[in-house]
Amino acid sequence: MRYRNYTRINHLTPGLQNEPEFYTFNANRMNTEDTNHDTPHITMEDRLWDYIDGLGSPAEQSAIEALIAANQEWLRKYRELLDVHQLMTSSELDTPPMRFTKNVMEEIARHHVAPATKNYINKNIIRSIGAFFLSLIAGLLIYCLSQFKWSGSSSSRMVPSYDLGLDKFDYSKVFSSLPVILFMLISVILGLVLLDLYLQRKKQQVS
Amino acid sequence: MVTYIELTDTEIIKRVLQGEQALFAQLVQRYQQYVFTLVGRFTASREDAEEISQDIFVKAYRSLADFRGEAKFSTWLYTVVRTSCITFLRKKKLDTTSLDNERTFLQLESKESGFKANMIEQKSRHAMVNAAIQLLSPDDSQVLTLFYKGEQTLEEIGRIMGLDPNTVKVKLHRARNRLKEKMEKHFSYAVQELHED
């Protein structure tokens, strides 16, 4: 049956124009009736797309079929989405030039298949290096703890005492030296750059 | 009577790794259209698309030993496509932080100039669809192509693009809506004429 849906194309569904934030997918909405009157088309569209793509359970597919059969709005929207779907399935692949395969084979004749990375990256070596550093850290920790004078006090807690001489240390000299200031400045800038990259990546994933 | 048995991707890869380099041509022929179409979503220039596609197959050949067979070969190949195209865009010194941005793609060439007249002349549905897809951002056109032409599931597309399958689903929905908008904006009357034919 031919139907002229493209006459409806110019009547954009209200609320969907230039509002990318509308398109939030909620897989848990399984209501047979869409009760969200503020954004009725979002849930309907998502469910119709799932129906067209063949996703969703058989029960959901049957529910959508019933809605399409009984509700004019659902039927109209279904036809609209089906047109887009059929447009995509009817699109064709681009064909490269005739010599493409030959060009590729001529090029790969000059190359060899590289050995698999698992064959030249020995995980045992990486584990050994990791174990070395961990044992080094553990050894230093044990040495530092052994330097404490563990003495008992009136309370039942063991209070280690160790004179680090912190009260004699002049902090102002550390933070007034130029190399330290430069180092802190560079660290702050690098930290902000990394934070920005991380947030941009998160934003990209969300969009 | 000689019966031609088509080898599976895994069988071809196994034999190529054993030294039968010429068999790789079967993989090239099998996937060249998909790769070329996908690359075409990142660049408007056919020459660039051809060069990048060839590089992709060469890279795939050289890295063949790293294909572990956990996913389909096509999924693995399309991952190579994506990374190669992003590298290409970086070399062109374009902003790749958001491939969702149509401006990124429009910086390569002006996509919206002059094509409308050509498409009307051709009056071909698939030509109009391809032209409308070319107007989308690389991410949108890629997700549409992978889903409809690359025969990839949402999970596989997620693996290729480094996204969660639910995120891919949202992207797919948005891409289809944007495609619809492009068709409405540029081809509504022409498509109406097609329907009336």
Side-chain angles (χ1 to χ4, degrees), chain A residues 2 6 9 12 45-46 50 53 80 85 91 94-95 114 117 204 207, chain B residues 32-33 37 46 62 66 97 148-149 167 169 173-174 176-177 180 184 195:
Chain A
R2 288 174 68 90
Y6 286 104
I9 281 175
L12 292 173
E45 220 172 276
D46 289 338
D50 282 347
D53 292 338
E80 203 177 294
H85 177 76
S91 68
D94 291 332
T95 307
T117 49
Q204 210 178 334
S207 65
Chain B
Q32 60 181 350
Q33 281 188 302
T37 303
R46 205 172 158 81
R62 295 181 67 189
D66 283 330
T97 53
Y148 283 101
K149 296 295 162 193
T167 309
K169 198 167 185 175
H173 287 193
R174 288 182 185 172
R176 287 191 275 215
N177 278 318
K180 191 176 77 161
E184 287 164 13
H195 266 277

PDB file of all heavy atoms in Angstrom, chain A residues 2 6 9 12 45-46 50 53 80 85 91 94-95 114 117 204 207, chain B residues 32-33 37 46 62 66 97 148-149 167 169 173-174 176-177 180 184 195:
ATOM      1  N   ARG A   2       0.675   2.103  -0.942  1.00  0.00           N
ATOM      2  CA  ARG A   2       1.491   3.305  -1.011  1.00  0.00           C
ATOM      3  C   ARG A   2       0.789   4.402  -0.207  1.00  0.00           C
ATOM      4  O   ARG A   2      -0.395   4.599  -0.315  1.00  0.00           O
ATOM      5  CB  ARG A   2       1.639   3.763  -2.465  1.00  0.00           C
ATOM      6  CG  ARG A   2       2.551   2.862  -3.275  1.00  0.00           C
ATOM      7  CD  ARG A   2       2.524   3.306  -4.713  1.00  0.00           C
ATOM      8  NE  ARG A   2       3.150   4.609  -4.880  1.00  0.00           N
ATOM      9  CZ  ARG A   2       4.430   4.783  -5.129  1.00  0.00           C
ATOM     10  NH1 ARG A   2       5.225   3.751  -5.240  1.00  0.00           N
ATOM     11  NH2 ARG A   2       4.945   5.974  -5.272  1.00  0.00           N
ATOM     12  N   TYR A   6       5.358  11.784   2.878  1.00  0.00           N
ATOM     13  CA  TYR A   6       6.256  12.920   2.784  1.00  0.00           C
ATOM     14  C   TYR A   6       5.523  14.245   2.750  1.00  0.00           C
ATOM     15  O   TYR A   6       6.113  15.288   2.926  1.00  0.00           O
ATOM     16  CB  TYR A   6       7.204  12.778   1.600  1.00  0.00           C
ATOM     17  CG  TYR A   6       8.241  11.761   1.895  1.00  0.00           C
ATOM     18  CD1 TYR A   6       8.170  10.500   1.325  1.00  0.00           C
ATOM     19  CD2 TYR A   6       9.262  12.021   2.803  1.00  0.00           C
ATOM     20  CE1 TYR A   6       9.112   9.547   1.631  1.00  0.00           C
ATOM     21  CE2 TYR A   6      10.191  11.062   3.122  1.00  0.00           C
ATOM     22  CZ  TYR A   6      10.109   9.835   2.526  1.00  0.00           C
ATOM     23  OH  TYR A   6      11.029   8.886   2.838  1.00  0.00           O
ATOM     24  N   ILE A   9       6.023  15.500   6.099  1.00  0.00           N
ATOM     25  CA  ILE A   9       7.391  15.738   6.551  1.00  0.00           C
ATOM     26  C   ILE A   9       7.581  17.164   7.037  1.00  0.00           C
ATOM     27  O   ILE A   9       8.295  17.430   7.980  1.00  0.00           O
ATOM     28  CB  ILE A   9       8.388  15.412   5.428  1.00  0.00           C
ATOM     29  CG1 ILE A   9       8.569  13.895   5.366  1.00  0.00           C
ATOM     30  CG2 ILE A   9       9.740  16.058   5.678  1.00  0.00           C
ATOM     31  CD1 ILE A   9       9.441  13.456   4.227  1.00  0.00           C
ATOM     32  N   LEU A  12       6.767  19.209  11.395  1.00  0.00           N
ATOM     33  CA  LEU A  12       7.658  18.556  12.341  1.00  0.00           C
ATOM     34  C   LEU A  12       6.905  18.259  13.620  1.00  0.00           C
ATOM     35  O   LEU A  12       6.068  19.024  14.058  1.00  0.00           O
ATOM     36  CB  LEU A  12       8.855  19.458  12.651  1.00  0.00           C
ATOM     37  CG  LEU A  12       9.816  19.666  11.500  1.00  0.00           C
ATOM     38  CD1 LEU A  12      10.858  20.697  11.858  1.00  0.00           C
ATOM     39  CD2 LEU A  12      10.502  18.368  11.135  1.00  0.00           C
ATOM     40  N   GLU A  45       8.403   7.262  20.349  1.00  0.00           N
ATOM     41  CA  GLU A  45       9.391   7.104  19.290  1.00  0.00           C
ATOM     42  C   GLU A  45      10.404   6.020  19.631  1.00  0.00           C
ATOM     43  O   GLU A  45      10.734   5.185  18.777  1.00  0.00           O
ATOM     44  CB  GLU A  45      10.127   8.436  19.094  1.00  0.00           C
ATOM     45  CG  GLU A  45      10.389   8.751  17.641  1.00  0.00           C
ATOM     46  CD  GLU A  45      10.936  10.129  17.430  1.00  0.00           C
ATOM     47  OE1 GLU A  45      10.116  11.062  17.363  1.00  0.00           O
ATOM     48  OE2 GLU A  45      12.163  10.237  17.342  1.00  0.00           O
ATOM     49  N   ASP A  46      10.858   6.034  20.872  1.00  0.00           N
ATOM     50  CA  ASP A  46      11.832   5.018  21.266  1.00  0.00           C
ATOM     51  C   ASP A  46      11.235   3.631  21.123  1.00  0.00           C
ATOM     52  O   ASP A  46      11.875   2.701  20.633  1.00  0.00           O
ATOM     53  CB  ASP A  46      12.278   5.230  22.717  1.00  0.00           C
ATOM     54  CG  ASP A  46      13.155   6.463  22.864  1.00  0.00           C
ATOM     55  OD1 ASP A  46      13.738   6.890  21.847  1.00  0.00           O
ATOM     56  OD2 ASP A  46      13.252   6.993  23.985  1.00  0.00           O
ATOM     57  N   ASP A  50      12.321   0.603  18.548  1.00  0.00           N
ATOM     58  CA  ASP A  50      12.634  -0.756  19.010  1.00  0.00           C
ATOM     59  C   ASP A  50      11.798  -1.784  18.252  1.00  0.00           C
ATOM     60  O   ASP A  50      12.281  -2.860  17.894  1.00  0.00           O
ATOM     61  CB  ASP A  50      12.360  -0.896  20.516  1.00  0.00           C
ATOM     62  CG  ASP A  50      13.464  -0.282  21.350  1.00  0.00           C
ATOM     63  OD1 ASP A  50      14.529   0.015  20.790  1.00  0.00           O
ATOM     64  OD2 ASP A  50      13.268  -0.119  22.572  1.00  0.00           O
ATOM     65  N   ASP A  53      13.159  -1.995  14.685  1.00  0.00           N
ATOM     66  CA  ASP A  53      14.471  -2.662  14.651  1.00  0.00           C
ATOM     67  C   ASP A  53      14.385  -4.117  15.089  1.00  0.00           C
ATOM     68  O   ASP A  53      15.388  -4.828  15.057  1.00  0.00           O
ATOM     69  CB  ASP A  53      15.470  -1.928  15.575  1.00  0.00           C
ATOM     70  CG  ASP A  53      15.815  -0.545  15.053  1.00  0.00           C
ATOM     71  OD1 ASP A  53      15.646  -0.332  13.827  1.00  0.00           O
ATOM     72  OD2 ASP A  53      16.240   0.304  15.859  1.00  0.00           O
ATOM     73  N   GLU A  80       5.843   7.383   9.811  1.00  0.00           N
ATOM     74  CA  GLU A  80       6.908   8.386   9.642  1.00  0.00           C
ATOM     75  C   GLU A  80       8.274   7.756   9.894  1.00  0.00           C
ATOM     76  O   GLU A  80       9.228   7.930   9.122  1.00  0.00           O
ATOM     77  CB  GLU A  80       6.658   9.500  10.665  1.00  0.00           C
ATOM     78  CG  GLU A  80       7.264  10.832  10.346  1.00  0.00           C
ATOM     79  CD  GLU A  80       6.868  11.856  11.396  1.00  0.00           C
ATOM     80  OE1 GLU A  80       5.665  12.175  11.466  1.00  0.00           O
ATOM     81  OE2 GLU A  80       7.763  12.294  12.128  1.00  0.00           O
ATOM     82  N   HIS A  85      13.399   4.601   8.172  1.00  0.00           N
ATOM     83  CA  HIS A  85      14.049   3.282   8.220  1.00  0.00           C
ATOM     84  C   HIS A  85      14.217   2.727   6.808  1.00  0.00           C
ATOM     85  O   HIS A  85      15.297   2.227   6.451  1.00  0.00           O
ATOM     86  CB  HIS A  85      13.188   2.346   9.066  1.00  0.00           C
ATOM     87  CG  HIS A  85      13.709   0.948   9.143  1.00  0.00           C
ATOM     88  ND1 HIS A  85      14.785   0.575   9.923  1.00  0.00           N
ATOM     89  CD2 HIS A  85      13.305  -0.190   8.511  1.00  0.00           C
ATOM     90  CE1 HIS A  85      15.007  -0.710   9.777  1.00  0.00           C
ATOM     91  NE2 HIS A  85      14.137  -1.204   8.925  1.00  0.00           N
ATOM     92  N   SER A  91      19.427   2.737   0.956  1.00  0.00           N
ATOM     93  CA  SER A  91      20.655   3.431   0.528  1.00  0.00           C
ATOM     94  C   SER A  91      21.687   2.404   0.089  1.00  0.00           C
ATOM     95  O   SER A  91      21.691   1.274   0.580  1.00  0.00           O
ATOM     96  CB  SER A  91      21.204   4.293   1.664  1.00  0.00           C
ATOM     97  OG  SER A  91      21.676   3.495   2.708  1.00  0.00           O
ATOM     98  N   ASP A  94      28.897   2.844  -1.318  1.00  0.00           N
ATOM     99  CA  ASP A  94      29.758   3.428  -2.341  1.00  0.00           C
ATOM    100  C   ASP A  94      30.723   2.364  -2.851  1.00  0.00           C
ATOM    101  O   ASP A  94      31.175   1.517  -2.071  1.00  0.00           O
ATOM    102  CB  ASP A  94      30.585   4.589  -1.754  1.00  0.00           C
ATOM    103  CG  ASP A  94      29.711   5.775  -1.413  1.00  0.00           C
ATOM    104  OD1 ASP A  94      28.660   5.927  -2.065  1.00  0.00           O
ATOM    105  OD2 ASP A  94      30.079   6.532  -0.497  1.00  0.00           O
ATOM    106  N   THR A  95      31.033   2.433  -4.114  1.00  0.00           N
ATOM    107  CA  THR A  95      31.947   1.444  -4.687  1.00  0.00           C
ATOM    108  C   THR A  95      33.284   2.105  -4.995  1.00  0.00           C
ATOM    109  O   THR A  95      33.319   3.138  -5.668  1.00  0.00           O
ATOM    110  CB  THR A  95      31.342   0.876  -5.986  1.00  0.00           C
ATOM    111  OG1 THR A  95      30.030   0.403  -5.690  1.00  0.00           O
ATOM    112  CG2 THR A  95      32.171  -0.268  -6.539  1.00  0.00           C
ATOM    113  N   ALA A 114      52.797  -8.509  10.994  1.00  0.00           N
ATOM    114  CA  ALA A 114      53.573  -8.326  12.226  1.00  0.00           C
ATOM    115  C   ALA A 114      53.217  -9.433  13.215  1.00  0.00           C
ATOM    116  O   ALA A 114      52.070  -9.899  13.235  1.00  0.00           O
ATOM    117  CB  ALA A 114      53.263  -6.958  12.820  1.00  0.00           C
ATOM    118  N   THR A 117      51.147  -9.131  19.273  1.00  0.00           N
ATOM    119  CA  THR A 117      51.789  -8.418  20.384  1.00  0.00           C
ATOM    120  C   THR A 117      51.983  -9.323  21.590  1.00  0.00           C
ATOM    121  O   THR A 117      52.937  -9.174  22.342  1.00  0.00           O
ATOM    122  CB  THR A 117      50.956  -7.207  20.820  1.00  0.00           C
ATOM    123  OG1 THR A 117      49.604  -7.600  20.996  1.00  0.00           O
ATOM    124  CG2 THR A 117      51.024  -6.094  19.801  1.00  0.00           C
ATOM    125  N   GLN A 204      31.426  14.049  25.670  1.00  0.00           N
ATOM    126  CA  GLN A 204      31.295  13.401  24.366  1.00  0.00           C
ATOM    127  C   GLN A 204      30.507  12.128  24.479  1.00  0.00           C
ATOM    128  O   GLN A 204      29.659  11.811  23.655  1.00  0.00           O
ATOM    129  CB  GLN A 204      32.695  13.077  23.858  1.00  0.00           C
ATOM    130  CG  GLN A 204      32.856  13.073  22.373  1.00  0.00           C
ATOM    131  CD  GLN A 204      34.287  12.788  22.005  1.00  0.00           C
ATOM    132  OE1 GLN A 204      35.190  13.058  22.780  1.00  0.00           O
ATOM    133  NE2 GLN A 204      34.485  12.207  20.866  1.00  0.00           N
ATOM    134  N   SER A 207      26.838  12.936  25.075  1.00  0.00           N
ATOM    135  CA  SER A 207      26.147  13.439  23.891  1.00  0.00           C
ATOM    136  C   SER A 207      26.049  12.321  22.847  1.00  0.00           C
ATOM    137  O   SER A 207      25.192  12.340  22.020  1.00  0.00           O
ATOM    138  CB  SER A 207      26.869  14.637  23.308  1.00  0.00           C
ATOM    139  OG  SER A 207      28.144  14.245  22.837  1.00  0.00           O
TER     140      SER A 207
ATOM    141  N   GLN B  32      35.502  -4.154   0.821  1.00  0.00           N
ATOM    142  CA  GLN B  32      35.959  -2.865   0.288  1.00  0.00           C
ATOM    143  C   GLN B  32      34.833  -1.829   0.219  1.00  0.00           C
ATOM    144  O   GLN B  32      35.045  -0.644   0.504  1.00  0.00           O
ATOM    145  CB  GLN B  32      36.607  -3.060  -1.088  1.00  0.00           C
ATOM    146  CG  GLN B  32      35.704  -3.650  -2.141  1.00  0.00           C
ATOM    147  CD  GLN B  32      36.425  -3.827  -3.476  1.00  0.00           C
ATOM    148  OE1 GLN B  32      37.541  -3.347  -3.669  1.00  0.00           O
ATOM    149  NE2 GLN B  32      35.787  -4.514  -4.408  1.00  0.00           N
ATOM    150  N   GLN B  33      33.632  -2.263  -0.150  1.00  0.00           N
ATOM    151  CA  GLN B  33      32.528  -1.304  -0.249  1.00  0.00           C
ATOM    152  C   GLN B  33      32.160  -0.741   1.127  1.00  0.00           C
ATOM    153  O   GLN B  33      31.900   0.460   1.263  1.00  0.00           O
ATOM    154  CB  GLN B  33      31.306  -1.978  -0.860  1.00  0.00           C
ATOM    155  CG  GLN B  33      31.387  -2.122  -2.369  1.00  0.00           C
ATOM    156  CD  GLN B  33      30.088  -2.617  -2.947  1.00  0.00           C
ATOM    157  OE1 GLN B  33      29.600  -3.679  -2.581  1.00  0.00           O
ATOM    158  NE2 GLN B  33      29.507  -1.845  -3.829  1.00  0.00           N
ATOM    159  N   THR B  37      32.655   3.111   2.021  1.00  0.00           N
ATOM    160  CA  THR B  37      31.469   3.896   2.399  1.00  0.00           C
ATOM    161  C   THR B  37      31.669   4.550   3.757  1.00  0.00           C
ATOM    162  O   THR B  37      31.379   5.734   3.946  1.00  0.00           O
ATOM    163  CB  THR B  37      30.214   2.998   2.445  1.00  0.00           C
ATOM    164  OG1 THR B  37      30.050   2.374   1.177  1.00  0.00           O
ATOM    165  CG2 THR B  37      28.972   3.788   2.782  1.00  0.00           C
ATOM    166  N   ARG B  46      36.779  11.881  -2.777  1.00  0.00           N
ATOM    167  CA  ARG B  46      36.810  10.476  -3.164  1.00  0.00           C
ATOM    168  C   ARG B  46      38.251   9.949  -3.205  1.00  0.00           C
ATOM    169  O   ARG B  46      38.507   8.802  -2.869  1.00  0.00           O
ATOM    170  CB  ARG B  46      36.155  10.343  -4.540  1.00  0.00           C
ATOM    171  CG  ARG B  46      35.583   8.984  -4.790  1.00  0.00           C
ATOM    172  CD  ARG B  46      34.779   8.937  -6.071  1.00  0.00           C
ATOM    173  NE  ARG B  46      34.685   7.574  -6.542  1.00  0.00           N
ATOM    174  CZ  ARG B  46      33.819   6.668  -6.083  1.00  0.00           C
ATOM    175  NH1 ARG B  46      32.949   7.003  -5.155  1.00  0.00           N
ATOM    176  NH2 ARG B  46      33.810   5.434  -6.539  1.00  0.00           N
ATOM    177  N   ARG B  62      48.728  -5.992   8.182  1.00  0.00           N
ATOM    178  CA  ARG B  62      49.926  -6.018   9.033  1.00  0.00           C
ATOM    179  C   ARG B  62      49.583  -6.407  10.466  1.00  0.00           C
ATOM    180  O   ARG B  62      50.410  -6.974  11.180  1.00  0.00           O
ATOM    181  CB  ARG B  62      50.622  -4.665   8.995  1.00  0.00           C
ATOM    182  CG  ARG B  62      51.167  -4.326   7.615  1.00  0.00           C
ATOM    183  CD  ARG B  62      51.868  -3.005   7.595  1.00  0.00           C
ATOM    184  NE  ARG B  62      53.083  -3.059   8.395  1.00  0.00           N
ATOM    185  CZ  ARG B  62      53.821  -2.010   8.702  1.00  0.00           C
ATOM    186  NH1 ARG B  62      53.472  -0.820   8.284  1.00  0.00           N
ATOM    187  NH2 ARG B  62      54.905  -2.138   9.416  1.00  0.00           N
ATOM    188  N   ASP B  66      47.036  -9.935  15.335  1.00  0.00           N
ATOM    189  CA  ASP B  66      46.418  -9.463  16.579  1.00  0.00           C
ATOM    190  C   ASP B  66      44.921  -9.708  16.611  1.00  0.00           C
ATOM    191  O   ASP B  66      44.276  -9.467  17.637  1.00  0.00           O
ATOM    192  CB  ASP B  66      46.665  -7.960  16.765  1.00  0.00           C
ATOM    193  CG  ASP B  66      48.078  -7.684  17.240  1.00  0.00           C
ATOM    194  OD1 ASP B  66      48.631  -8.551  17.932  1.00  0.00           O
ATOM    195  OD2 ASP B  66      48.626  -6.622  16.895  1.00  0.00           O
ATOM    196  N   THR B  97      37.576  16.579  18.898  1.00  0.00           N
ATOM    197  CA  THR B  97      37.068  16.310  20.237  1.00  0.00           C
ATOM    198  C   THR B  97      35.606  15.935  20.184  1.00  0.00           C
ATOM    199  O   THR B  97      35.093  15.228  21.027  1.00  0.00           O
ATOM    200  CB  THR B  97      37.235  17.534  21.152  1.00  0.00           C
ATOM    201  OG1 THR B  97      36.651  18.667  20.508  1.00  0.00           O
ATOM    202  CG2 THR B  97      38.695  17.803  21.407  1.00  0.00           C
ATOM    203  N   TYR B 148      22.963  -0.015   9.512  1.00  0.00           N
ATOM    204  CA  TYR B 148      22.160  -0.439   8.364  1.00  0.00           C
ATOM    205  C   TYR B 148      22.954  -1.174   7.295  1.00  0.00           C
ATOM    206  O   TYR B 148      22.418  -2.041   6.617  1.00  0.00           O
ATOM    207  CB  TYR B 148      21.478   0.782   7.739  1.00  0.00           C
ATOM    208  CG  TYR B 148      20.281   1.247   8.530  1.00  0.00           C
ATOM    209  CD1 TYR B 148      20.362   2.340   9.376  1.00  0.00           C
ATOM    210  CD2 TYR B 148      19.072   0.573   8.444  1.00  0.00           C
ATOM    211  CE1 TYR B 148      19.262   2.751  10.105  1.00  0.00           C
ATOM    212  CE2 TYR B 148      17.972   0.981   9.175  1.00  0.00           C
ATOM    213  CZ  TYR B 148      18.074   2.068  10.004  1.00  0.00           C
ATOM    214  OH  TYR B 148      16.988   2.479  10.741  1.00  0.00           O
ATOM    215  N   LYS B 149      24.196  -0.796   7.103  1.00  0.00           N
ATOM    216  CA  LYS B 149      24.964  -1.413   6.033  1.00  0.00           C
ATOM    217  C   LYS B 149      26.049  -2.353   6.544  1.00  0.00           C
ATOM    218  O   LYS B 149      26.397  -3.321   5.882  1.00  0.00           O
ATOM    219  CB  LYS B 149      25.632  -0.319   5.167  1.00  0.00           C
ATOM    220  CG  LYS B 149      24.627   0.565   4.452  1.00  0.00           C
ATOM    221  CD  LYS B 149      23.827  -0.220   3.451  1.00  0.00           C
ATOM    222  CE  LYS B 149      22.561   0.469   3.037  1.00  0.00           C
ATOM    223  NZ  LYS B 149      21.645  -0.380   2.307  1.00  0.00           N
ATOM    224  N   THR B 167      24.191   3.976  24.882  1.00  0.00           N
ATOM    225  CA  THR B 167      24.598   5.250  24.277  1.00  0.00           C
ATOM    226  C   THR B 167      24.519   5.156  22.756  1.00  0.00           C
ATOM    227  O   THR B 167      24.092   6.112  22.087  1.00  0.00           O
ATOM    228  CB  THR B 167      26.032   5.623  24.705  1.00  0.00           C
ATOM    229  OG1 THR B 167      26.141   5.538  26.112  1.00  0.00           O
ATOM    230  CG2 THR B 167      26.404   7.016  24.235  1.00  0.00           C
ATOM    231  N   LYS B 169      22.490   3.310  21.116  1.00  0.00           N
ATOM    232  CA  LYS B 169      21.065   3.326  20.768  1.00  0.00           C
ATOM    233  C   LYS B 169      20.542   4.762  20.711  1.00  0.00           C
ATOM    234  O   LYS B 169      19.819   5.142  19.787  1.00  0.00           O
ATOM    235  CB  LYS B 169      20.304   2.528  21.817  1.00  0.00           C
ATOM    236  CG  LYS B 169      18.919   2.105  21.377  1.00  0.00           C
ATOM    237  CD  LYS B 169      18.390   1.069  22.337  1.00  0.00           C
ATOM    238  CE  LYS B 169      17.070   0.526  21.866  1.00  0.00           C
ATOM    239  NZ  LYS B 169      16.578  -0.564  22.704  1.00  0.00           N
ATOM    240  N   HIS B 173      19.145   6.762  17.400  1.00  0.00           N
ATOM    241  CA  HIS B 173      17.854   7.443  17.328  1.00  0.00           C
ATOM    242  C   HIS B 173      18.040   8.887  16.877  1.00  0.00           C
ATOM    243  O   HIS B 173      17.319   9.391  16.010  1.00  0.00           O
ATOM    244  CB  HIS B 173      17.180   7.432  18.708  1.00  0.00           C
ATOM    245  CG  HIS B 173      16.649   6.085  19.089  1.00  0.00           C
ATOM    246  ND1 HIS B 173      15.796   5.873  20.128  1.00  0.00           N
ATOM    247  CD2 HIS B 173      16.862   4.859  18.561  1.00  0.00           C
ATOM    248  CE1 HIS B 173      15.514   4.591  20.225  1.00  0.00           C
ATOM    249  NE2 HIS B 173      16.146   3.954  19.305  1.00  0.00           N
ATOM    250  N   ARG B 174      19.028   9.551  17.477  1.00  0.00           N
ATOM    251  CA  ARG B 174      19.265  10.960  17.134  1.00  0.00           C
ATOM    252  C   ARG B 174      19.715  11.091  15.686  1.00  0.00           C
ATOM    253  O   ARG B 174      19.306  12.016  14.980  1.00  0.00           O
ATOM    254  CB  ARG B 174      20.335  11.553  18.058  1.00  0.00           C
ATOM    255  CG  ARG B 174      19.863  11.773  19.466  1.00  0.00           C
ATOM    256  CD  ARG B 174      20.952  12.392  20.310  1.00  0.00           C
ATOM    257  NE  ARG B 174      20.532  12.500  21.692  1.00  0.00           N
ATOM    258  CZ  ARG B 174      21.342  12.870  22.678  1.00  0.00           C
ATOM    259  NH1 ARG B 174      22.591  13.176  22.434  1.00  0.00           N
ATOM    260  NH2 ARG B 174      20.890  12.952  23.916  1.00  0.00           N
ATOM    261  N   ARG B 176      18.998   9.185  13.197  1.00  0.00           N
ATOM    262  CA  ARG B 176      17.853   8.984  12.298  1.00  0.00           C
ATOM    263  C   ARG B 176      16.976  10.234  12.261  1.00  0.00           C
ATOM    264  O   ARG B 176      16.476  10.632  11.195  1.00  0.00           O
ATOM    265  CB  ARG B 176      17.036   7.766  12.745  1.00  0.00           C
ATOM    266  CG  ARG B 176      17.760   6.451  12.434  1.00  0.00           C
ATOM    267  CD  ARG B 176      16.907   5.243  12.600  1.00  0.00           C
ATOM    268  NE  ARG B 176      16.851   4.734  13.953  1.00  0.00           N
ATOM    269  CZ  ARG B 176      16.774   3.449  14.270  1.00  0.00           C
ATOM    270  NH1 ARG B 176      16.747   2.536  13.305  1.00  0.00           N
ATOM    271  NH2 ARG B 176      16.700   3.058  15.515  1.00  0.00           N
ATOM    272  N   ASN B 177      16.806  10.857  13.432  1.00  0.00           N
ATOM    273  CA  ASN B 177      16.004  12.093  13.452  1.00  0.00           C
ATOM    274  C   ASN B 177      16.688  13.188  12.660  1.00  0.00           C
ATOM    275  O   ASN B 177      16.039  13.945  11.932  1.00  0.00           O
ATOM    276  CB  ASN B 177      15.788  12.545  14.897  1.00  0.00           C
ATOM    277  CG  ASN B 177      14.645  11.797  15.554  1.00  0.00           C
ATOM    278  OD1 ASN B 177      13.600  11.584  14.941  1.00  0.00           O
ATOM    279  ND2 ASN B 177      14.836  11.377  16.777  1.00  0.00           N
ATOM    280  N   LYS B 180      16.270  12.606   9.036  1.00  0.00           N
ATOM    281  CA  LYS B 180      14.914  13.006   8.643  1.00  0.00           C
ATOM    282  C   LYS B 180      14.852  14.525   8.451  1.00  0.00           C
ATOM    283  O   LYS B 180      14.286  15.007   7.478  1.00  0.00           O
ATOM    284  CB  LYS B 180      13.931  12.559   9.724  1.00  0.00           C
ATOM    285  CG  LYS B 180      12.470  12.678   9.345  1.00  0.00           C
ATOM    286  CD  LYS B 180      11.584  12.128  10.437  1.00  0.00           C
ATOM    287  CE  LYS B 180      11.496  13.104  11.571  1.00  0.00           C
ATOM    288  NZ  LYS B 180      10.372  12.907  12.479  1.00  0.00           N
ATOM    289  N   GLU B 184      14.023  16.539   5.090  1.00  0.00           N
ATOM    290  CA  GLU B 184      12.948  17.528   5.061  1.00  0.00           C
ATOM    291  C   GLU B 184      13.460  18.866   4.532  1.00  0.00           C
ATOM    292  O   GLU B 184      12.817  19.544   3.758  1.00  0.00           O
ATOM    293  CB  GLU B 184      12.388  17.741   6.465  1.00  0.00           C
ATOM    294  CG  GLU B 184      11.550  16.592   6.980  1.00  0.00           C
ATOM    295  CD  GLU B 184      11.344  16.663   8.491  1.00  0.00           C
ATOM    296  OE1 GLU B 184      11.644  17.731   9.074  1.00  0.00           O
ATOM    297  OE2 GLU B 184      10.907  15.674   9.063  1.00  0.00           O
ATOM    298  N   HIS B 195       7.336  10.200  -4.727  1.00  0.00           N
ATOM    299  CA  HIS B 195       6.195   9.422  -4.258  1.00  0.00           C
ATOM    300  C   HIS B 195       5.028   9.508  -5.217  1.00  0.00           C
ATOM    301  O   HIS B 195       4.216   8.587  -5.297  1.00  0.00           O
ATOM    302  CB  HIS B 195       5.763   9.892  -2.871  1.00  0.00           C
ATOM    303  CG  HIS B 195       6.390   9.083  -1.786  1.00  0.00           C
ATOM    304  ND1 HIS B 195       5.883   7.877  -1.376  1.00  0.00           N
ATOM    305  CD2 HIS B 195       7.496   9.276  -1.046  1.00  0.00           C
ATOM    306  CE1 HIS B 195       6.648   7.379  -0.424  1.00  0.00           C
ATOM    307  NE2 HIS B 195       7.635   8.213  -0.205  1.00  0.00           N
TER     308      HIS B 195
END
